[in-house]
Amino acid sequence: MTSEDAFAYFIESLETLENLLHAETQAIAAKDLDTIDSIMLQKDESLKVLLSAKEGLSDNPRNNDLANTKIDYVMNLQSRNANSFEKLKDKASMKSNHDKQGLSSDGKMRSTYLKN
């Protein structure tokens, strides 16, 4: 494989990861946990391919303006998605705790009412 082919494969692998990150952004916004889980598995595989493609490069991709820009963009997307997913988990956890507290309070009020 020529260095140009290796670079093209690296960029293609990076764009695949970028597309998965965009899909993940949409899944997080839709709170679609099954899709998020599926995309995370695909991202793991995509990252393995990307790292393998990077190994095939003769130069550091950070030395290329196109690759450097794309790498920064993908890293920012990943960071943003990680933050969004944490917020989603926190909201779900708070809702779950609130629902549990609400049920226990309702149950206490009902049992008190029935005892009187």
Side-chain angles (χ1 to χ4, degrees):
M1 181 182 291
T2 68
S3 64
E4 290 175 2
D5 290 341
F7 183 75
Y9 181 65
F10 175 78
I11 293 297
E12 181 182 318
S13 301
L14 192 57
E15 288 172 346
T16 298
L17 182 58
E18 179 184 340
N19 290 335
L20 286 168
L21 287 164
H22 285 300
E24 183 181 53
T25 299
Q26 293 174 342
I28 291 169
K31 299 177 180 123
D32 185 346
L33 298 179
D34 289 336
T35 301
I36 294 168
D37 188 46
S38 172
I39 291 170
M40 284 182 172
L41 293 173
Q42 292 175 59
K43 278 181 15 187
D44 288 345
E45 288 303 312
S46 180
L47 190 56
K48 288 177 188 173
V49 170
L50 180 63
L51 292 174
S52 174
K54 182 181 181 261
E55 292 296 319
L57 297 177
S58 55
D59 294 325
N60 182 341
R62 289 290 193 171
N63 295 334
N64 178 284
D65 289 339
L66 172 67
N68 191 46
T69 300
K70 284 189 171 292
I71 291 168
D72 285 343
Y73 183 71
V74 165
M75 290 177 68
N76 287 333
L77 273 176
Q78 175 59 40
S79 178
R80 188 182 72 200
N81 284 357
N83 289 335
S84 296
F85 186 68
E86 279 301 314
K87 289 177 185 175
L88 178 63
K89 281 183 7 184
D90 290 345
K91 284 181 185 176
S93 177
M94 286 176 52
K95 184 180 183 323
S96 175
N97 287 340
H98 178 70
D99 288 349
K100 286 178 186 175
Q101 289 174 353
L103 286 175
S104 63
S105 296
D106 290 346
K108 289 177 187 174
M109 288 182 358
R110 182 175 180 184
S111 64
T112 301
Y113 178 77
L114 292 174
K115 287 179 185 176
N116 291 332

